[in-house]
Amino acid sequence: MENKELYFAEQFVLHTNRNIFLTGKAGTGKTTFLKEVLKKSKKNTVVVAPTGVAAINAGGVTIHSMFQLPTTSFIPTSDYINPDFFTNVTDLAKIQKLRKEKRKVLQELELLVIDEISMVRADLLDAVDLTLRRVRKSGLAFGGVQVLAIGDLFQLAPVVREHTWNTLSNFYKSPFFFHALAWQRSDALSIELLQVYRQSDQNFIDILNRIRNGVKSDDDLDVLNKQWDSIIDNEMITLTTHNKTANKINEDQLSKLDTPEITLEAKVTGRFFESSFPTQEKIVLKVGAQVMFIRNHPEGLYFNGKLGKLVGKTDDLLKVKLADEDKTIMVDKEEWKNTSFELNDTTKEIETKELGTFTQYPLRLAWAVTVHKSQGLTFDSLQLDLENSFAAGQLYVALSRCRSLEGLKLLTKLKSANVIVDNRILEFYNAISVDDTFNDQLEMAKINYANHQLRDTFIFNKYLDNIIEWQKYIVEKVDGEKGMDFLVFVKGLKTSFSTIINTAAKFQSQLTTMFIENDTVQVSDRAESAIRYFTDEINAKVILPIESHIDRYKSESDLRKHLKQLIYLLDDIWYLMNSLYNIKYLGNDVYKDEIKHKPSATVEFSKNKNFIKGDTFAHTLELFRSGKTIAQIAEIRMFSKGTIETHMLRHVKNKEVAVKELMKKQRYEKVLRYILNNKDKPLSELVNGSDLDIQYIEVRWIKAELELLNLEG
């Protein structure tokens, strides 16, 4: 096993519900791990980070926006403390404005990834925990959601002001995330990545390790100080501790160039807050300027932290000569996306939705950069100005940016006072050992996860919430005698479903007892019997009454919106029925008979990844083939026009419908020609950069068809 820590980290994330803290020194592959595990995971996942820039780089959102948390600090009790600075347990629920769509995402969430966890304060993590427990109606830590926390505590620390900590210290041993009350009761597993990929010189790696751990070694300082040279080399990048110093170095060096200024303006579309901009909105360069790339090129032309020199500009391309290489490349603008997470009502999967884009050249001036902004970067050579090193871990972060000791230059000599570490972090890391029991723990965690998934399938509370939502709709939107009739009906439905939920809760308790006895055969047999019982009950007491109600009122046009709400509810109930019939336990199907209850042809319902019966997409295609337009299909099926258009996209991809059938010939040819002439433009630019008033769905239809032609061509 080449890297057993990486292997076990991946296995625990993909196949268990254990909470994981993944840590490791600089250059051990934490960022690469996150990207790879997100590709492989089939869990409903949300990625968050403590800052806007970190969230954009991780492909996620900020913690505060995801959970609608106030900017005040959180107190994990109901104690009254100055509300200008603190929010307690009682007030948090009043302050949070969680929309219905956001609540759905949190209810279906399976894996929460928190990147840059070192910057997350303990009280913020407890506020996340409280939110998830309340929304999911669960007493488990984080509401039963698996948490993957990634970061290195020896690098960026949480920010906490003295007056805030004076109060928080009454509740927390330290501001670090691992002292959050939720984390301490979450049975989390810490895995430290040990293999360093950034450096290969073992002597340099050992020195970095000792500095990371706060070891003040005169021998190490002597080795490092041999790299001292007070003469500034303007061909190297300077790492310094303060923004003001870095900015002055960059401005001074730029002013020395006698070439004309080149101003590069970013293009911002949709919603993209300035605090999340990954680089400057306006970049001023000159030919001859030293620049640094701030992201990885998809084809490996450059990487985050690669240095170069601007040698020219042609049209929309920058000409950059790469440092330490006899190579010049053309650099185009890159696009960063601001996204949100939404639940797809059809598939019940959490998907990302693009809110806005930031398009700019992936460069910044690079005669100097702060240690803070160098986080995650790798340099072949650099010079350090750390005379004013003032924060724990700052020296380690700066030194570990360099690939080798030979590429390192010190502008000021290092002293033992520069080696600073927080003892609370040391104490925590000392408890993380190279664990030889990972394999045993993994097997047990897989069984526990299977038990957890089985038990959770019989938790029906969120479906009751949907009935309650429908009841609210009736009270607010349906008047008169019919409104009273509907209210009586929904109250009866709510009572019936509540009884089913209470019975299911008793069965969950029985399952818990059987799990302790570890009799997997008995668990499977009892679960199969439970599936028969609950599907019969739900069909008789929920589905049939709803279908009868729809049939009774479907001809009354003024009740179309009311019936649409009811079909959404029924759609969710059929999703529950499908979930029960398709339960797997330890990799095996639990229900082995023919499916007894299936939706009638007139009722639509959702389908999950493995469900193909009563296909809602097929019904759309059937209506389209009968001559109905997209607008007519949407009206008939009580869906939005956008939903039907998305159905048609699926049929285009499956070669069941040609785009020419969906668009008028002249319109199709114009849009097709425009797309072919702008092949390299991202979707947002294609839509916004044309006077054809192009719709997103039109571009997606045509691009899907072109991809099919390329595959076949």
Side-chain angles (χ1 to χ4, degrees):
M1 197 181 298
E2 185 179 336
N3 189 326
K4 70 173 186 177
E5 288 80 21
L6 268 178
Y7 168 78
F8 281 114
E10 180 178 287
Q11 291 296 304
F12 275 108
V13 172
L14 297 180
H15 304 300
T16 83
N17 61 341
R18 283 290 296 272
N19 294 325
I20 302 293
F21 169 45
L22 182 73
T23 188
K25 307 171 186 68
T28 50
K30 297 184 293 296
T31 301
T32 302
F33 170 83
L34 174 57
K35 291 178 181 176
E36 290 302 313
V37 84
L38 289 178
K39 288 179 187 175
K40 295 176 182 178
S41 176
K42 295 179 181 178
K43 295 178 180 178
N44 269 337
T45 303
V46 162
V47 180
V48 297
T51 67
V53 173
I56 294 296
N57 289 335
V61 299
T62 65
I63 296 172
H64 283 85
S65 66
M66 185 67 226
F67 296 97
Q68 296 297 290
L69 298 174
T71 55
T72 50
S73 300
F74 176 69
I75 299 299
T77 71
S78 295
D79 298 349
Y80 176 83
I81 299 175
N82 190 337
D84 291 335
F85 300 102
F86 300 95
T87 301
N88 64 20
V89 169
T90 305
D91 290 338
L92 182 61
K94 298 176 184 176
I95 292 171
Q96 284 175 309
K97 304 295 182 186
L98 293 170
R99 296 178 293 109
K100 179 181 177 182
E101 292 77 12
K102 180 67 68 69
R103 297 178 74 88
K104 283 183 176 180
V105 169
L106 298 182
Q107 285 171 345
E108 297 294 336
L109 182 60
E110 295 172 280
L111 174 63
L112 174 66
V113 177
I114 308 177
D115 200 19
E116 300 289 8
I117 189 66
S118 64
M119 291 191 286
V120 177
R121 282 204 326 243
D123 63 304
L124 180 60
L125 195 60
D126 276 340
V128 170
D129 164 68
L130 180 63
T131 304
L132 286 169
R133 284 190 286 116
R134 189 177 68 246
V135 171
R136 296 166 67 90
K137 294 181 173 62
S138 170
L140 299 173
F142 304 106
V145 173
Q146 182 184 22
V147 176
L148 168 61
I150 301 178
D152 182 1
L153 297 173
F154 287 102
Q155 298 189 44
L156 296 176
V159 176
V160 55
R161 300 187 185 281
E162 186 177 353
H163 75 274
T164 302
W165 182 241
N166 287 339
T167 298
L168 289 179
S169 61
N170 294 315
F171 306 95
Y172 299 103
K173 287 177 66 177
S174 84
F176 296 105
F177 86 95
F178 55 80
H179 278 139
L181 305 181
W183 191 259
Q184 294 195 330
R185 71 185 187 92
S186 72
D187 189 32
L189 183 67
S190 296
I191 300 178
E192 183 173 11
L193 302 180
L194 302 175
Q195 186 171 331
V196 177
Y197 295 98
R198 182 176 293 158
Q199 291 91 14
S200 56
D201 179 352
Q202 191 58 48
N203 183 42
F204 188 35
I205 291 172
D206 292 340
I207 291 173
L208 290 176
N209 287 345
R210 286 190 287 271
I211 289 175
R212 181 175 185 257
N213 292 326
V215 177
K216 299 174 186 285
S217 165
D218 290 338
D219 290 342
D220 289 345
L221 292 176
D222 287 344
V223 171
L224 291 170
N225 284 329
K226 286 178 182 176
Q227 303 301 118
W228 170 71
D229 182 349
S230 62
I231 300 173
I232 295 175
D233 182 349
N234 292 325
E235 297 296 315
M236 296 177 73
I237 190 166
T238 301
L239 257 63
T240 185
T241 52
H242 291 78
N243 270 313
K244 187 166 67 173
T245 306
N247 291 339
K248 187 175 188 311
I249 292 172
N250 285 326
E251 290 166 8
D252 288 348
Q253 292 300 318
L254 187 68
S255 67
K256 291 177 182 178
L257 299 175
D258 57 6
T259 51
E261 285 189 350
I262 299 172
T263 302
L264 309 172
E265 297 270 5
K267 180 181 178 181
V268 184
T269 65
R271 203 169 87 200
F272 208 117
F273 298 117
E274 189 174 348
S275 60
S276 299
F277 287 175
T279 188
Q280 293 169 294
E281 187 173 10
K282 180 187 289 187
I283 301 174
V284 179
L285 301 176
K286 292 180 179 180
V287 169
Q290 182 161 285
V291 294
M292 178 178 74
F293 291 93
I294 59 167
R295 74 184 304 180
N296 297 326
H297 188 268
E299 296 172 12
L301 284 178
Y302 50 78
F303 57 82
N304 194 4
K306 179 68 177 176
L307 295 179
K309 183 176 288 186
L310 182 66
V311 294
K313 184 176 187 295
T314 305
D315 297 326
D316 289 333
L317 298 174
L318 299 179
K319 199 173 182 180
V320 177
K321 183 179 185 302
L322 300 179
D324 304 320
E325 295 182 44
D326 187 21
K327 185 178 181 181
T328 300
I329 63 171
M330 305 304 291
V331 181
D332 201 352
K333 291 180 178 179
E334 293 280 348
E335 181 182 81
W336 288 262
K337 293 181 180 180
N338 180 30
T339 59
S340 66
F341 294 96
E342 293 189 355
L343 187 72
N344 184 313
D345 283 327
T346 302
T347 63
K348 304 300 181 187
E349 294 176 16
I350 295 176
E351 300 175 339
T352 55
K353 176 185 177 183
E354 184 179 306
L355 299 179
T357 62
F358 178 93
T359 306
Q360 178 61 290
Y361 293 93
L363 298 167
R364 63 158 53 113
L365 281 175
W367 282 285
V369 66
T370 62
V371 174
H372 182 89
K373 288 181 180 175
S374 74
Q375 188 80 17
L377 302 182
T378 301
F379 302 107
D380 293 318
S381 60
L382 57 84
Q383 52 196 355
L384 301 185
D385 176 15
L386 296 180
E387 187 173 11
N388 297 313
S389 177
F390 61 90
Q394 198 168 52
L395 175 59
Y396 168 69
V397 172
L399 291 172
S400 62
R401 299 309 97 194
C402 198
R403 288 189 187 275
S404 67
L405 188 60
E406 290 72 26
L408 182 66
K409 176 180 176 179
L410 300 179
L411 296 176
T412 53
K413 286 191 175 183
L414 299 176
K415 306 169 188 174
S416 61
N418 297 119
V419 182
I420 309 169
V421 70
D422 191 312
N423 287 326
R424 295 168 299 186
I425 295 175
L426 271 181
E427 183 182 338
F428 175 74
Y429 270 84
N430 287 337
I432 303 175
S433 58
V434 179
D435 201 327
D436 294 328
T437 67
F438 277 157
N439 202 51
D440 293 338
Q441 290 192 63
L442 178 61
E443 292 311 307
M444 181 59 68
K446 285 181 177 179
I447 294 171
N448 289 339
Y449 183 45
N451 293 343
H452 166 83
Q453 287 183 301
L454 179 62
R455 184 173 52 232
D456 277 10
T457 312
F458 293 95
I459 298 176
F460 307 146
N461 300 67
K462 63 186 175 186
Y463 301 99
L464 180 62
D465 290 343
N466 293 342
I467 294 175
I468 293 170
E469 283 290 328
W470 182 48
Q471 182 178 344
K472 288 179 183 176
Y473 176 85
I474 293 170
V475 171
E476 294 171 4
K477 303 293 185 181
V478 186
D479 299 322
E481 188 175 334
K482 285 179 182 174
M484 292 301 297
D485 288 345
F486 295 165
L487 206 54
V488 170
F489 173 72
V490 74
K491 284 182 177 179
L493 200 64
K494 187 168 70 172
T495 300
S496 297
F497 203 79
S498 296
T499 303
I500 293 171
I501 286 175
N502 291 336
T503 306
K506 293 175 183 176
F507 178 62
Q508 291 158 40
S509 298
Q510 293 172 14
L511 280 176
T512 302
T513 302
M514 286 186 278
F515 293 153
I516 295 171
E517 295 170 355
N518 201 26
D519 187 341
T520 57
V521 175
Q522 182 190 25
V523 168
S524 293
D525 289 345
R526 290 298 303 277
E528 186 174 20
S529 298
I531 292 169
R532 289 194 189 90
Y533 171 80
F534 287 113
T535 51
D536 282 347
E537 286 288 289
I538 292 169
N539 185 67
K541 296 179 179 177
V542 180
I543 291 176
L544 291 179
I546 291 177
E547 289 182 346
S548 176
H549 186 85
I550 292 173
D551 191 58
R552 179 181 174 186
Y553 292 104
K554 66 182 180 183
S555 61
E556 301 191 28
S557 58
D558 60 325
L559 296 177
R560 188 168 292 276
K561 285 186 177 180
H562 162 70
L563 293 178
K564 185 175 181 178
Q565 293 291 324
L566 193 51
I567 286 176
Y568 285 154
L569 171 60
L570 188 59
D571 182 78
D572 280 337
I573 300 298
W574 275 117
Y575 180 85
L576 168 59
M577 293 283 277
N578 165 59
S579 299
L580 291 171
Y581 281 129
N582 285 277
I583 291 175
K584 286 184 179 292
Y585 183 60
L586 297 174
N588 299 313
D589 292 327
V590 174
Y591 187 79
K592 301 175 183 66
D593 291 344
E594 285 291 319
I595 292 178
K596 182 177 179 182
H597 304 294
K598 300 178 183 179
S600 63
T602 58
V603 177
E604 299 304 328
F605 60 98
S606 292
K607 63 188 190 66
N608 69 12
K609 300 172 189 173
N610 304 314
F611 197 46
I612 58 172
K613 301 174 180 67
D615 196 336
T616 185
F617 295 95
H619 192 184
T620 294
L621 182 60
E622 183 183 345
L623 289 170
F624 183 72
R625 289 291 176 227
S626 72
K628 299 288 190 293
T629 65
I630 286 177
Q632 289 170 333
I633 296 170
E635 185 177 359
I636 292 168
R637 301 200 55 200
M638 300 179 190
F639 284 169
S640 70
K641 184 168 174 279
T643 298
I644 302 302
E645 288 173 338
T646 304
H647 286 190
M648 300 315 294
L649 176 62
R650 177 187 174 116
H651 295 310
V652 169
K653 290 179 177 179
N654 290 339
K655 298 192 290 187
E656 295 166 320
V657 172
V659 181
K660 289 180 181 178
E661 298 179 78
L662 302 171
M663 300 169 65
K664 291 182 179 178
K665 181 181 178 182
Q666 189 176 10
R667 171 73 174 173
Y668 169 77
E669 290 174 350
K670 278 185 178 180
V671 177
L672 173 62
R673 192 159 49 247
Y674 172 71
I675 291 173
L676 290 173
N677 290 334
N678 297 274
K679 283 183 179 179
D680 297 328
K681 284 189 177 181
L683 183 63
S684 58
E685 279 193 37
L686 286 172
V687 173
N688 298 317
S690 167
D691 57 3
L692 296 176
D693 191 25
I694 297 175
Q695 303 299 308
Y696 273 96
I697 193 63
E698 292 177 321
V699 177
R700 293 180 71 191
W701 282 340
I702 293 175
K703 273 184 166 286
E705 194 166 69
L706 289 173
E707 285 175 13
L708 286 174
L709 290 172
N710 287 335
L711 288 172
E712 294 169 357

